[in-house]
């Protein structure tokens, strides 16, 4: 459910920049280069934040469907760092994560993968975020 398995379904005339506007002003950070990725991960580690990494594509319907929800989550859970990678903008980086479908979400803390979710499954994404936030809160007590 909610997965795009094609490598590129981009429509002629699509303007990629418009697809990313929906995240403007939110707590979602667009990763446009590996240097930005390194900087954000370093910042998250320093601040003790869990990273939620979303591999997405502008041509992917389920990715566009879950984007507003991802933005809402970023505002609801400021203790997490929400990142977005467009698989077409950073193909080598995406390949290094062995992305088979979009969207794919990774949960990372201190450079280690805590969890993963493939597909635009809102209830499951919410459940995993809640579990991560609760486990971090338990550790902080």
């Amino acid at each position: 459910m909610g997965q795009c398995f094609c490598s590129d379904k981009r429509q002629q005339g699509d303007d990629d920049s418009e697809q990313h506007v929906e995240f403007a002003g939110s707590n979602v950070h667009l990763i446009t280069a590996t240097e930005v990725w390194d900087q954000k991960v370093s910042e998250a580690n320093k601040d003790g934040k869990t990273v939620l990494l979303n591999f997405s594509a502008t041509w992917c319907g389920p990715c566009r469907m879950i984007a507003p929800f991802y933005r809402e989550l970023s505002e609801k859970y400021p203790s997490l760092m929400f990142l977005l990678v467009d698989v077409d903008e950073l193909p080598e980086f995406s390949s290094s994560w062995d992305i088979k479908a979009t969207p794919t979400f990774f949960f990372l803390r201190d450079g280690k993968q805590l969890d993963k979710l493939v597909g635009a499954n809102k209830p499951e994404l919410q459940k995993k975020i809640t579990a991560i936030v609760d486990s971090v809160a338990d550790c902080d007590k």
Side-chain angles (χ1 to χ4, degrees):
M1 166 176 124
Q3 298 178 17
C4 292
F5 287 101
C6 301
S7 60
D8 195 347
K9 283 191 173 179
R10 189 174 286 159
Q11 303 283 319
Q12 291 297 332
D14 273 359
D15 182 359
D16 290 348
S17 62
E18 288 183 16
Q19 298 294 336
H20 297 305
V21 170
E22 61 201 275
F23 290 113
S26 72
N27 291 325
V28 177
H29 306 278
L30 182 61
I31 303 301
T32 54
T34 53
E35 295 80 19
V36 178
W37 162 253
D38 292 339
Q39 174 193 355
K40 288 297 178 187
V41 168
S42 176
E43 186 181 313
N45 290 345
K46 182 176 63 97
D47 296 342
K49 289 188 172 190
T50 299
V51 172
L52 181 47
L53 177 59
N54 176 3
F55 285 92
S56 184
T58 56
W59 45 262
C60 168
C63 298
R64 288 197 304 267
M65 179 203 74
I66 204 163
F69 184 64
Y70 191 67
R71 184 184 64 239
E72 286 172 28
L73 291 170
S74 78
E75 293 163 3
K76 185 176 178 182
Y77 296 101
S79 64
L80 304 178
M81 181 178 286
F82 289 76
L83 304 179
L84 176 72
V85 172
D86 185 315
V87 295
D88 293 322
E89 288 182 23
L90 291 177
E92 288 178 14
F93 180 77
S94 300
S95 293
S96 73
W97 285 83
D98 197 29
I99 302 303
K100 302 267 194 267
T102 53
T104 297
F105 302 90
F106 286 93
F107 296 81
L108 310 162
R109 186 162 177 94
D110 298 325
K112 295 180 182 70
Q113 181 179 325
L114 302 174
D115 209 342
K116 176 181 175 180
L117 174 65
V118 178
N121 185 331
K122 290 181 184 180
E124 192 62 23
L125 183 59
Q126 176 68 67
K127 184 173 139 187
K128 287 180 180 288
I129 288 174
T130 301
I132 295 282
V133 169
D134 289 348
S135 72
V136 170
D138 289 344
C139 291
D140 291 342
K141 288 181 180 174

